[in-house]
Amino acid sequence: MSADTVSVTGWGRTAPTAARLIRPRTYEEAAAAVRDCGARGSIPRGLGRAYGDAAQNAGGTVLDMTGLNRIHAIDADGGTVLCDAGVSLHRLMEVLLPLGWFVPVTPGTRQVTVGGAIGADIHGKNHHVSGSFTRHVLSLELLTADGEIRTVGRDTPLFDATAGGMGLTGVILTATVQLQPVQTSLMSVDTERATDLDDLMARLTATDHLYRYSVAWIDLLARGAATGRAVLTRGDHAPLDTLPARARRAPLSFRPAQLPPAPAFLPEGLLTRTTVGLFNELWYRKAPRARAGQLQKLSTFFHPLDGVPHWNRVYGRGGFVQYQFVVGYGQEDALRRIVRRISEHRCPSFLAVLKRFGDADPGWLSFPVPGWTLAVDIPAGLPGLGAFLDELDEEVAAAGGRVYLAKDSRLRPELLTSMYPRLDEFRALRAQLDPRGVFVSDLSRRLTL
């Protein structure tokens, strides 16, 4: 087991803090690291794709769980996998796709661990159909603050606190996950343009039930009549009989393309309103007005940015904030106001996506609730950004919505209770399970979780 004092940050590269980084290779080493974590406690960490400070612990211990990455058992008939928490979704795809199975939920990157997927209760383009990741977790093993390893089943308070609990109930060691059957590793994709936000919402509301996966890219620099114009992309796993003859020779092949990594240092001011506005205009114009049945690779449809390692460097040394919120159905006016305000603020964002959520998930701090969710990447150095996002938080809270903790780096704690009504239950269970405060993070200190 190795240990180093390092500077740790989230994927947004804001607010780095120093911690002792420990890399356990066995469950026993993980338990020893938790026992000896010291007064500042510890927090588990996967591949570092949480955007904010959820996997940081200033002055304490961070457990890098990626060394625990074994796949223990696969039921190729029933479609389940038992694996360590440090196994990445990328690795699961490599192993499971040739057997005709796919992960049940994937976010915009496959470079996340199973433990991170549970701790953040990740969602994807199929939430309106399949819910979030932990809805497909059958059981898990959890190393708790007392040094015990507990088998945690579904529909129990500890499971519901751990699902979306940001690693604060303990260290997930293994999980058993129900998988999605597929015939091929290709997607059948429909693409269309929406002229404005109302047009986009109408299209999504009318036809989203016809698709397993659905997402819209929004041009948040467009104003006036074009405010909220978008490119809508939807699809499902392509059946074998829709593939051309050549593709049927290896229908479950999985070979994601990869470009050279982004440079370690890029000029400041690269992403200006002018450059991003030009990109957004080109991206919108190049999209087809309507196209159906295009075959795409899984990596193209789900994880286009994974093809550029360290793409987060594009935002320069100052990093970026990803702001994601959800407001319920019936709160479309609030969504319109927020989109209009972002457009009028001229935030230089080229990564902005809108999705629809289905039924709420059981996790006490799980993010998805039925409604509209918008995620926006914004350079952290944008003048007045903090005050502007504080105002948006107020608007989201007033509409009964919430922000996503796995992407947050700056929410004020007084808004948390209204956003997450089961927060008191989470705090009470944590106090009972971990009275010494063994599991703690920069996020939990900031928000008094």
Side-chain angles (χ1 to χ4, degrees):
M1 180 168 62
S2 62
D4 302 286
T5 298
V6 298
S7 178
V8 182
T9 185
W11 191 244
R13 305 176 76 199
T14 59
T17 54
R20 187 169 61 122
L21 187 70
I22 295 180
R23 302 175 179 85
R25 293 292 184 265
T26 65
Y27 304 151
E28 293 75 18
E29 288 184 354
V34 169
R35 265 194 320 269
D36 302 332
C37 64
R40 295 287 289 181
S42 63
I43 194 71
R45 180 182 177 92
L47 286 165
R49 289 318 195 268
Y51 283 75
D53 52 4
Q56 299 174 214
N57 183 19
T61 298
V62 172
L63 301 181
D64 179 343
M65 297 299 293
T66 55
L68 291 168
N69 58 1
R70 292 168 295 174
I71 296 176
H72 295 280
I74 299 171
D75 180 352
D77 294 322
T80 62
V81 61
L82 168 62
C83 64
D84 283 344
V87 173
S88 70
L89 298 192
H90 174 84
R91 179 60 181 153
L92 286 182
M93 292 175 198
E94 286 184 322
V95 173
L96 296 171
L97 272 168
L99 303 177
W101 298 99
F102 189 61
V103 295
V105 172
T106 177
T109 175
R110 60 187 179 275
Q111 301 300 335
V112 296
T113 62
V114 169
I118 296 170
D121 201 10
I122 60 170
H123 57 270
K125 300 174 182 178
N126 59 340
H127 190 277
H128 63 292
V129 173
S130 302
S132 63
F133 191 86
T134 56
R135 195 181 296 185
H136 308 273
V137 175
L138 305 179
S139 66
L140 56 89
E141 288 184 305
L142 187 71
L143 171 63
T144 50
D146 56 9
E148 297 293 320
I149 296 177
R150 309 184 185 207
T151 299
V152 184
R154 298 178 55 81
D155 302 320
T156 62
L158 186 52
F159 186 95
D160 292 346
T162 302
M166 308 311 296
L168 296 170
T169 61
V171 181
I172 300 167
L173 297 177
T174 70
T176 300
V177 182
Q178 182 69 55
L179 304 168
Q180 166 71 33
V182 294
Q183 296 181 13
T184 75
S185 60
L186 294 174
M187 302 294 296
S188 177
V189 181
D190 294 354
T191 305
E192 58 190 288
R193 281 194 236 166
T195 56
D196 57 30
L197 183 61
D198 283 341
D199 181 31
L200 172 62
M201 289 193 292
R203 291 170 188 255
L204 286 166
T205 300
T207 58
D208 239 15
H209 65 282
L210 302 175
Y211 297 89
R212 181 178 296 275
Y213 302 99
S214 178
V215 67
W217 168 88
I218 297 185
D219 179 3
L220 288 179
L221 283 175
R223 291 186 290 179
T227 299
R229 68 179 181 177
V231 178
L232 179 56
T233 308
R234 296 182 287 187
D236 205 337
H237 299 278
L240 183 61
D241 59 11
T242 64
L243 268 56
R246 184 175 180 179
R248 293 187 197 183
R249 298 173 192 167
L252 292 165
S253 174
F254 180 62
R255 298 188 184 91
Q258 188 162 295
L259 298 171
F265 300 105
L266 287 167
E268 296 296 326
L270 185 65
L271 298 182
T272 66
R273 294 183 178 94
T274 300
T275 59
V276 173
L278 178 61
F279 172 87
N280 287 3
E281 181 70 26
L282 292 173
W283 192 260
Y284 181 77
R285 294 297 174 189
K286 84 175 186 65
R289 293 185 183 276
R291 180 177 61 201
Q294 182 192 29
L295 293 178
Q296 291 184 3
K297 292 182 177 181
L298 285 168
S299 55
T300 301
F301 182 76
F302 289 111
H303 315 119
L305 287 175
D306 279 352
V308 184
H310 305 295
W311 64 262
N312 56 340
R313 295 173 180 171
V314 170
Y315 290 89
R317 295 176 186 271
F320 69 102
V321 173
Q322 180 161 109
Y323 185 72
Q324 183 167 8
F325 68 90
V326 58
V327 293
Y329 297 124
Q331 294 294 332
E332 285 76 13
D333 281 346
L335 177 63
R336 291 185 185 97
R337 286 194 301 271
I338 293 171
V339 168
R340 187 164 54 248
R341 290 186 66 176
I342 295 173
S343 298
E344 291 172 350
H345 199 75
R346 308 296 286 157
C347 295
S349 175
F350 67 93
L351 287 174
V353 295
L354 183 75
K355 296 191 291 282
R356 295 174 78 246
F357 280 157
D359 293 339
D361 297 292
W364 293 348
L365 297 187
S366 290
F367 170 64
V369 292
W372 304 93
T373 180
L374 178 67
V376 187
D377 284 1
I378 307 172
L382 188 70
L385 179 61
F388 176 64
L389 293 181
D390 284 347
E391 293 173 3
L392 296 190
D393 290 341
E394 297 281 357
E395 185 112 29
V396 169
R402 58 181 58 166
V403 299
Y404 191 14
L405 296 182
K407 296 182 177 179
D408 175 59
S409 58
R410 23 82 35 214
L411 180 68
R412 303 196 313 276
E414 58 267 25
L415 292 177
L416 200 63
T417 303
S418 64
M419 291 183 173
Y420 288 90
R422 303 196 73 172
L423 179 62
D424 286 343
E425 292 175 75
F426 178 81
R427 285 171 170 159
L429 186 142
R430 270 199 75 206
Q432 178 184 0
L433 193 67
D434 183 10
R436 296 185 296 115
V438 168
F439 296 110
V440 65
S441 65
D442 292 354
L443 174 77
S444 71
R445 289 191 186 94
R446 176 169 56 83
L447 295 178
T448 61
L449 291 173

